[in-house]
Amino acid sequence: MSISPELDAFDRAILAILQKDNATPQRAIGEAVNLSAPAVQRRIKRMEETGIIRANVALVDPAKVGHPITIFVEVEVESERAELIDAAKRGFAAVPEVQQCYYVTGEADFILVVTVATMADYEALTRRLFFENNNVKRFRTFVAMDRVKVGLEVPVG
């Protein structure tokens, strides 16, 4: 893993713009932060190469592509042996319906964010992920009633 370079005020301003709309033309970014478009391009390239910018993706509305239900799941495992935790991480990460997976402290061992089309789909997913997994001790489900704020924007100021 490479060491991230120090971010100056220009880098932080560029990141703030890109996190809101990564399709913003480099010329427009340059005008907003008082840099030339080539300077903006070099800075973005460096931040991509060093892993500060991990990906350029489209944020898709799950409801508009047939996955209107968002569910949060607390998962508690039987054993916290390293190889079993690693297996759980790999298993959860491999499931397309699992949008996010966090290994956490506290009563639960994992918090998952899941999106599904129907509750029947979620029930089928629980059978595959939890009931058929001997290391899952218990899980608790929280169904989102409304997506009040959703995003992955990181404060850079």
Side-chain angles (χ1 to χ4, degrees), residues 124-142:
L125 183 69
T126 64
R127 291 178 187 277
R128 290 193 324 269
L129 280 183
F130 310 131
F131 291 116
E132 295 174 6
N133 184 332
N134 291 332
N135 196 36
V136 172
K137 183 175 184 179
R138 70 176 57 94
F139 67 96
R140 289 186 357 162
T141 297
F142 303 87

Side-chain angles (χ1 to χ4, degrees), residues 75 77 79-96 98 100-105 109-112 129-130 133 135-136:
V75 181
V77 297
S79 172
E80 293 190 52
R81 289 194 346 247
E83 67 272 11
L84 293 175
I85 292 295
D86 290 343
K89 288 178 183 180
R90 285 190 306 275
F92 296 145
V95 177
V98 176
Q100 298 176 49
C101 172
Y102 299 93
Y103 180 45
V104 299
T105 62
D109 297 297
F110 291 92
I111 302 289
L112 308 179
L129 280 183
F130 310 131
N133 184 332
N135 196 36
V136 172

Side-chain angles (χ1 to χ4, degrees), residues 8-144:
D8 64 17
F10 290 116
D11 294 329
R12 292 177 186 283
I14 291 167
L15 287 172
I17 292 166
L18 290 176
Q19 286 188 97
K20 297 219 180 304
D21 181 1
N22 78 338
T24 303
Q26 292 174 357
R27 176 192 43 74
I29 296 171
E31 289 170 5
V33 302
N34 295 317
L35 287 174
S36 68
V40 169
Q41 181 181 23
R42 283 191 301 274
R43 286 171 176 269
I44 291 171
K45 185 175 192 305
R46 177 180 46 82
M47 289 188 282
E48 288 172 341
E49 289 171 348
T50 58
I52 293 168
I53 297 175
R54 293 182 36 208
N56 291 295
V57 299
L59 298 178
V60 176
D61 183 332
K64 292 185 178 174
V65 294
H67 286 254
I69 302 171
T70 300
I71 300 171
F72 300 86
V73 187
E74 289 181 353
V75 181
E76 187 178 341
V77 297
E78 289 282 353
S79 172
E80 293 190 52
R81 289 194 346 247
E83 67 272 11
L84 293 175
I85 292 295
D86 290 343
K89 288 178 183 180
R90 285 190 306 275
F92 296 145
V95 177
E97 294 90 347
V98 176
Q99 288 187 315
Q100 298 176 49
C101 172
Y102 299 93
Y103 180 45
V104 299
T105 62
E107 289 185 36
D109 297 297
F110 291 92
I111 302 289
L112 308 179
V113 179
V114 175
T115 181
V116 291
T118 67
M119 288 307 291
D121 290 339
Y122 179 64
E123 181 184 6
L125 183 69
T126 64
R127 291 178 187 277
R128 290 193 324 269
L129 280 183
F130 310 131
F131 291 116
E132 295 174 6
N133 184 332
N134 291 332
N135 196 36
V136 172
K137 183 175 184 179
R138 70 176 57 94
F139 67 96
R140 289 186 357 162
T141 297
F142 303 87
V143 178

Side-chain angles (χ1 to χ4, degrees), residues 142-155:
F142 303 87
V143 178
M145 294 172 51
D146 187 14
R147 294 168 53 93
V148 177
K149 179 181 180 183
V150 178
L152 297 174
E153 192 170 326
V154 177

